[in-house]
Each structure stands twice: as C-alpha cells, then as structure tokens.
Amino acid sequence: MDFLQDSPGDSSSPTPTHKDLTEYDYSSDSDDMARIREPESKIDKDKLHPDVLKDLEVHQGFMRQAINVAEEALAGGETPVACVLVYKGEVVARGMNDTNRSLNGTRHAEFLAIAVFLSKFPAAKLKETDLYVTVEPCIMCASALRQYGIRCVYYGCGNDRFGGNGSVLAVNSDKGLEEGYPSYGGIFRKEAIMLLRRFYIQENENAPNPRAKGNRELKPVV
C-alpha cells in the first residue's frame, strides 16, 4: 500500500545495505523512551501512503514546520521531538518535548501543543484538526489524541519501542469506545532520525545516571 516518497524515476536513494540497517540510540537518558531501532525493512519505512502522496507538498510543508520546532528543542538541549496542529489549513499550535527541562515525563510535544490549541479553540475543534509530529506518538500520546478525537496524525519516523500508532500498539485504530483516527508515517523520516542521533551523541546532564558519550560518532547514513 505504500509508495516511495522520492519522485518517480528518482535514483538518488541507494539500495540499503546491512550497514544502513544498524541501530540508532533513543537513549534511556531521555524521558520515557529507551531506544528506537532502525526498522528491519528500511525500504518500507521510506515509502509513503498514496493518500499522503496526493498532497505531498502540503504535508511536507507542515512537517517541515514540525522539524523546525524540533531543531529549536535540540538547540535548547531538549529531546528533538516536536509537532504542529493544523486547523483549517493553518498551523494554530506548536509543541516540543519539555521533559528534560521540566523533569516531567508527561510533557510531551503533543500534550503541549494540545494545551496551546485549547487556549484558543474548544476541544471539539480537534475533530477537524490534523497533527504533524516528527516521531510516532507514544502509547500515552496516541491514547490522548484518540480521546480528544484528532482527525488525522502524520509522523516522521516510527517508534519501535513505545509507538502507539502501529509500531508497538495500534492505539489509533484498535477497537474502543472512542472513534479511531488514521495515521501515516514517513514524511521527512530521515530528517527526524538525524535529529535524534544528534541529540543522543550529546551529554544529558538531566539524566538520572548520565553516561559519557564523548566517544560516540554521528552516523550520517539513514
């Protein structure tokens, strides 16, 4: 069901090798995530759903804004996960992880963006709102998004450890009392992964047991 994000005929994407599929750290020094691994099938994760391809430039534009917010988080020493909420074609709220600074594991990007949204609109308007987030929502956030009735979620890279939109649990689509929501991954996936890699080669002074990372090198291949 997925299709390549690259334009038809684009030969710029190399055939993945064993080296390309090595793990990248999502360190337990962070908030609630211990590690995300590169998926076994890199090719599948580099493909996009046809529904996304219909308006690819629009989706990329909104995800680019989320990536930019994640860059701000990284510059501030925070886990570079960020999101934007889009209502009636416009970004009306932004959020970035605040778990390191606040030492509060619930202050994920999605929760902060929702708080901003609710300061402007009634909760019912979330049913007409889409979320663009750099990393697949965790199980906690995926559940909250479903309870709020988010219309759709688009994310960059998957979360093999705690993903709530299909990587671990399909909270967004499993049978439940609340109506589920569609979720599409892979938009600027490589950029999202590189942000995480850049963060996890740094020292995390807020970690319970900081680990020396001076000998770590940034892996440029995704």
Side-chain angles (χ1 to χ4, degrees), residues 146-181:
R146 181 165 181 167
Q147 292 177 60
Y148 273 115
I150 197 76
R151 184 170 66 180
C152 187
V153 169
Y154 302 90
Y155 62 88
C157 66
N159 180 350
D160 277 357
R161 191 78 172 183
F162 297 103
N165 282 21
S167 290
V168 177
L169 295 179
V171 176
N172 65 302
S173 59
D174 284 345
K175 293 182 179 179
L177 296 177
E178 301 88 6
E179 184 178 354
Y181 58 85

Side-chain angles (χ1 to χ4, degrees), residues 2-176:
D2 293 341
F3 292 81
L4 286 173
Q5 180 169 355
D6 298 319
S7 300
D10 185 355
S11 60
S12 61
S13 298
T15 301
T17 65
H18 177 73
K19 182 178 180 181
D20 294 332
L21 305 182
T22 55
E23 292 184 348
Y24 65 94
D25 287 336
Y26 208 129
S27 169
S28 57
D29 289 358
S30 178
D31 42 70
D32 68 336
M33 298 183 180
R35 183 181 61 189
I36 292 180
R37 294 176 298 169
E38 272 279 34
E40 293 180 2
S41 177
K42 176 174 178 289
I43 296 178
D44 289 343
K45 297 299 182 178
D46 279 337
K47 296 177 182 178
L48 292 178
H49 193 278
D51 288 349
V52 175
L53 289 174
K54 291 177 182 178
D55 294 297
L56 182 57
E57 290 187 5
V58 172
H59 296 308
Q60 287 181 329
F62 290 132
M63 187 62 76
R64 175 55 64 188
Q65 294 194 50
I67 290 286
N68 291 341
V69 178
E71 288 276 6
E72 294 178 22
L74 179 64
E78 187 57 74
T79 310
V81 178
C83 66
V84 297
L85 287 169
V86 177
Y87 174 62
K88 292 187 176 180
E90 295 186 3
V91 172
V92 295
R94 296 170 173 82
M96 68 174 71
N97 264 31
D98 187 45
T99 53
N100 282 341
R101 185 197 63 80
S102 67
L103 301 181
N104 182 339
T106 67
R107 289 181 65 80
H108 287 198
E110 295 92 331
F111 278 81
L112 272 63
I114 288 173
V116 173
F117 184 94
L118 295 178
S119 71
K120 302 176 181 179
F121 306 99
K125 294 299 182 182
L126 283 167
K127 296 182 184 296
E128 305 171 43
T129 302
D130 299 325
L131 172 76
Y132 291 80
V133 60
T134 58
V135 178
E136 176 188 0
C138 70
I139 294 168
M140 175 181 70
C141 291
S143 177
L145 291 166
R146 181 165 181 167
Q147 292 177 60
Y148 273 115
I150 197 76
R151 184 170 66 180
C152 187
V153 169
Y154 302 90
Y155 62 88
C157 66
N159 180 350
D160 277 357
R161 191 78 172 183
F162 297 103
N165 282 21
S167 290
V168 177
L169 295 179
V171 176
N172 65 302
S173 59
D174 284 345
K175 293 182 179 179

